[in-house]
Amino acid sequence: MATIANTDSLNLFDCTPRELASRIQKQIKEELGLSTSIGISFGKTLAKLGSDMKKPMGLTEITHDNHIDIIKKLKIVPTKKMITKGFEKFTTMFI
């Protein structure tokens, strides 16, 4: 995974972050023959989430306007470690 802070992409590259991501994706495909999935957001975690949403060759933009709706749609499945750690914390707090 690579992360690019591109808050000034409009000024530097004369394009939006989505257009810049599309250019990068296209160039990687043409020059290396590799598919990429890119997430664009206002934070690294949400950008990573976006990159995992559409594979292969996906491009997902999570904005201040849509991030709540996207997060609400996620299916969160607790892992054994989450359950065990949660139980340990519960027992130390209340027993």
Side-chain angles (χ1 to χ4, degrees):
M1 180 182 106
T3 305
I4 302 171
N6 67 344
T7 51
D8 293 324
S9 63
L10 189 58
N11 296 331
L12 293 174
F13 301 102
D14 193 32
C15 65
T16 66
R18 185 175 193 87
E19 291 167 335
L20 178 59
S22 183
R23 288 182 193 175
I24 292 168
Q25 190 177 49
K26 183 179 177 185
Q27 189 170 354
I28 290 171
K29 185 67 172 175
E30 288 175 356
E31 293 182 17
L32 303 174
L34 301 173
S35 62
T36 56
S37 295
I38 298 176
I40 303 165
S41 192
F42 52 91
K44 288 181 185 178
T45 302
L46 290 175
K48 173 63 177 143
L49 176 68
S51 72
D52 287 340
M53 293 179 77
K54 297 177 186 169
K55 291 190 179 273
M57 293 301 289
L59 202 159
T60 304
E61 190 167 5
I62 301 176
T63 66
H64 288 285
D65 293 331
N66 71 4
H67 75 282
I68 298 295
D69 292 331
I70 289 172
I71 292 169
K72 283 182 181 179
K73 292 177 186 175
L74 294 176
K75 180 179 179 183
I76 299 172
V77 179
T79 64
K80 184 178 179 181
K81 185 175 182 177
M82 290 168 61
I83 294 167
T84 304
K85 292 291 182 187
F87 181 73
E88 288 173 6
K89 191 170 194 170
F90 175 79
T91 56
T92 57
M93 289 173 60
F94 298 103
I95 297 176

